[in-house]
């Protein structure tokens, strides 16, 4: 839990946080967002797979933390977006559920679910269409690096207000 909180604090103090907040506020404008849905943001409580440890050579606790930092930042980004949709820029509103923050990832461990729940997430699913059934025109969907074809599934269901997504091979090793 401490690692999640430390990385979340780093996120909140970053330039990227400020830029994302400004962009989201501008994009949302006067529109009403009723839900923020997250798909496949990853489990930050799992140890890295053995093949990655072997490929890396030396692996320690610091390597484990570096391996999951991206997942933590993605969840922190989702918290930020939900707060902005609630009209609360500061982290003080984690208990406010006027705009639910929903997450679905079949890889979540019980510990990850507990940490996320304590930080304002509601876990849906974990398998099937649990989260997808929640999507509507007043939703924001966040799905970075998901293994499932989230954008294609969404296209058949609804037209959310905003989709934040990437794909594999988006970043190179220099970023």
């Amino acid at each position: 839990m401490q690692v999640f909180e430390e990385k979340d604090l780093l996120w909140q103090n970053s330039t990227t946080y400020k830029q994302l907040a400004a962009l989201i506020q501008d994009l949302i404008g006067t529109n009403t967002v009723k839900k923020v849905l997250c798909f496949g943001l990853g489990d930050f409580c799992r140890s890295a797979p053995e093949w990655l440890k072997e490929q890396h050579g030396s692996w320690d606790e610091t390597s484990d933390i570096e391996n999951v930092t991206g997942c933590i930042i993605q969840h922190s980004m989702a918290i930020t977006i939900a707060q902005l949709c609630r009209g609360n820029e500061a982290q003080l509103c984690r208990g406010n559920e006027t705009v639910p923050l929903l997450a679905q990832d079949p890889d979540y461990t019980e510990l990850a679910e507990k940490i996320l729940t304590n930080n304002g997430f509601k876990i849906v699913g974990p398998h099937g269409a649990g989260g997808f059934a929640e999507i509507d025109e007043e939703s924001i969907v966040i799905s970075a690096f998901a293994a499932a074809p989230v954008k294609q599934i969404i296209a058949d269901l609804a037209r959310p207000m905003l989709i934040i997504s990437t794909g594999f091979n988006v970043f190179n090793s220099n970023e």
Side-chain angles (χ1 to χ4, degrees), residues 98-114:
T98 57
V99 177
L101 177 57
L102 310 173
Q104 181 172 353
D105 191 321
D107 285 339
Y108 284 148
T109 56
E110 283 185 35
L111 180 57
E113 288 183 9
K114 180 180 178 187

Side-chain angles (χ1 to χ4, degrees), residues 7-20:
K7 296 299 180 183
D8 185 52
L9 185 59
L10 283 173
W11 160 253
Q12 291 175 36
N13 292 314
S14 71
T15 302
T16 306
Y17 168 90
K18 292 176 184 114
Q19 292 173 342
L20 176 69

Side-chain angles (χ1 to χ4, degrees), residues 149-168:
V150 174
K151 290 179 277 191
Q152 292 85 342
I153 295 169
I154 292 170
D156 291 336
L157 297 174
R159 299 280 184 235
M161 182 180 300
L162 177 65
I163 299 173
I164 299 173
S165 183
T166 58
F168 290 101

Side-chain angles (χ1 to χ4, degrees), residues 41-135:
L41 298 188
D43 189 315
F44 42 84
C45 293
R46 288 191 191 275
S47 184
E50 291 303 318
W51 64 265
L52 182 60
K53 292 178 182 180
E54 290 173 15
Q55 187 179 42
H56 190 269
S58 62
W59 196 269
D60 57 13
E61 186 176 321
T62 303
S63 303
D64 266 333
I65 292 170
E66 289 173 8
N67 185 55
V68 297
T69 296
C71 295
I72 294 171
I73 297 300
Q74 290 174 167
H75 287 89
S76 295
M77 180 184 77
I79 292 168
T80 299
I81 292 169
Q83 290 168 346
L84 293 168
C85 294
R86 294 171 182 149
N88 298 301
E89 196 169 328
Q91 66 270 15
L92 303 173
C93 67
R94 294 200 181 213
N96 181 346
E97 298 216 3
T98 57
V99 177
L101 177 57
L102 310 173
Q104 181 172 353
D105 191 321
D107 285 339
Y108 284 148
T109 56
E110 283 185 35
L111 180 57
E113 288 183 9
K114 180 180 178 187
I115 292 169
L116 292 173
T117 301
N118 288 341
N119 282 279
F121 283 85
K122 178 182 176 190
I123 308 303
V124 292
H127 304 285
F132 293 107
E134 296 284 341
I135 300 171

